[in-house]
Amino acid sequence: MAAETSVGVQSVGRAFHLLHLMSEAGGQMSISELAAASGLPLPTIHRIIRTLTESGHVRQNASRQYTLGPRLVGLGESASRMLAAGSQPDLRELADVAGETANMALYDGDRAVYVAQVPSHHSMRMFTELGRRVHLHATGVGKALLSQMPDSAVRRIMTSTGMPAMTDRTITDLDVLLQVLAEIRERGHAVDDGEHEFGVRCVAVPVPDAPTLTAISVSGPESRLTAEVMERVVPLLRATATAVAKRFA
């Protein structure tokens, strides 16, 4: 019995490992890519993927690659609500200290979805409807999410979603976006300088080791969220991201 239990637990662990690898790769991988990334034998991967496909947690597309399946959506939505609720105190402290609106967004379906927000105390403040889905290339949280992916996944997502111009500052060239993402990975934070909405500025950071790709941001009118203020806010964001990550542990 102990041996059977051990094997069962090992299979569960391997199944989650494969799902995480697919998520980190942008949600889609082939069997050979899974084998190379996981180091597991092909027969083992075939067996696990077949089980996950039958349960709806993975599906095979027309190109015979495997993608994250629809059964994960409900799990993700439930987890998002719990994570957002648990992180509310951290966002509230961030908004109080930074003096501007604090936001949390997750990667979902090739978009960034806002799951938590604490508005600033200013009469003129940023407000985003919870559950709102936005393009990744044009927002601070979106670029912070993309910076956690390999360039191959970014290319796939941008090819699928396109890169529409929200303002005249929006990045609409994929090569330019990839260069910006390389800079974000190096410095550790992303900036939306009126790229999604005129007059609105946002600075965002990834949340490390989150169960799903997550980012937090501070947003406000560009008249208040100046370069000097953003320089002060970035360390606050990083400290908050670390605090949020600990809640995930």
Side-chain angles (χ1 to χ4, degrees), residues 52 61 66 89-90 96 109 118 124 135 145 176 196 198-199 209 215 219-220:
L52 291 172
N61 61 22
Y66 289 91
D90 301 308
D96 288 344
V118 175
M124 183 174 71
H135 280 276
L145 293 171
V176 173
H196 193 260
F198 289 110
D209 302 319
S219 57

Side-chain angles (χ1 to χ4, degrees), residues 18 24 44 56 73 81 86 120 122 133 140 146 165 180 197 204 219 232 235 239 247:
L18 294 179
E24 291 167 0
T44 299
V73 174
R81 288 193 294 270
S120 76
H122 295 285
R133 301 166 65 83
L146 287 174
V180 168
E197 295 181 57
S219 57
R232 176 179 65 83
R247 294 184 183 274

